[in-house]
Amino acid sequence: MPFFDVGSATYWEKTLGCTRATFGDVGILVLAYTVVSILNRNRHWMHRPTYWMIGIYLLTGLGITVIIERLANNMPYESEWGWQYSELMPLVPGTDIGFVPILMWLVIPLISLWFARRQPRP
């Protein structure tokens, strides 16, 4: 949270904002997984992923993340939707996109795939 400027939001408002963001992140994860499942014609691709599958998975999520970050940061500060970065947020060089959301999209999905591969096969 130190990377985001939440202004004078109450604890409850911060909690709701983080909850919405979590559901959004899960939605991106599921959508990226679905894209690879459709392209591969196999929803169990995580048990034997290839480099192209992982690449499409990550690129889909990164693309959606970049679009959402751009939209969210261009919303008015008083908006019900969107967010602003604090001065602590490092930016991706040459952009106004935060490095933390990009890094988060690379780390969390790869960990998710790692755990999913260890589940029993259908």
Side-chain angles (χ1 to χ4, degrees), residues 22-100:
T22 299
F23 279 108
D25 291 339
V26 169
I28 295 170
L29 193 81
V30 170
L31 182 59
Y33 186 85
T34 302
V35 167
V36 178
S37 295
I38 290 169
L39 292 174
N40 194 44
R41 296 185 180 153
N42 180 359
R43 66 186 171 122
H44 302 290
W45 66 266
M46 79 246 178
H47 291 295
R48 301 190 90 181
T50 62
Y51 287 116
W52 79 265
M53 291 176 200
I54 294 171
I56 296 292
Y57 177 61
L58 293 176
L59 287 174
T60 301
L62 276 172
I64 295 168
T65 299
V66 166
I67 291 168
I68 290 174
E69 290 295 316
R70 298 286 312 255
L71 290 172
N73 280 299
N74 290 318
M75 296 303 261
Y77 191 75
E78 304 82 27
S79 173
E80 292 274 332
W81 190 87
W83 49 87
Q84 303 294 317
Y85 297 140
S86 77
E87 64 278 352
L88 297 176
M89 176 69 80
L91 298 178
V92 175
T95 72
D96 59 348
I97 298 169
F99 182 70
V100 171

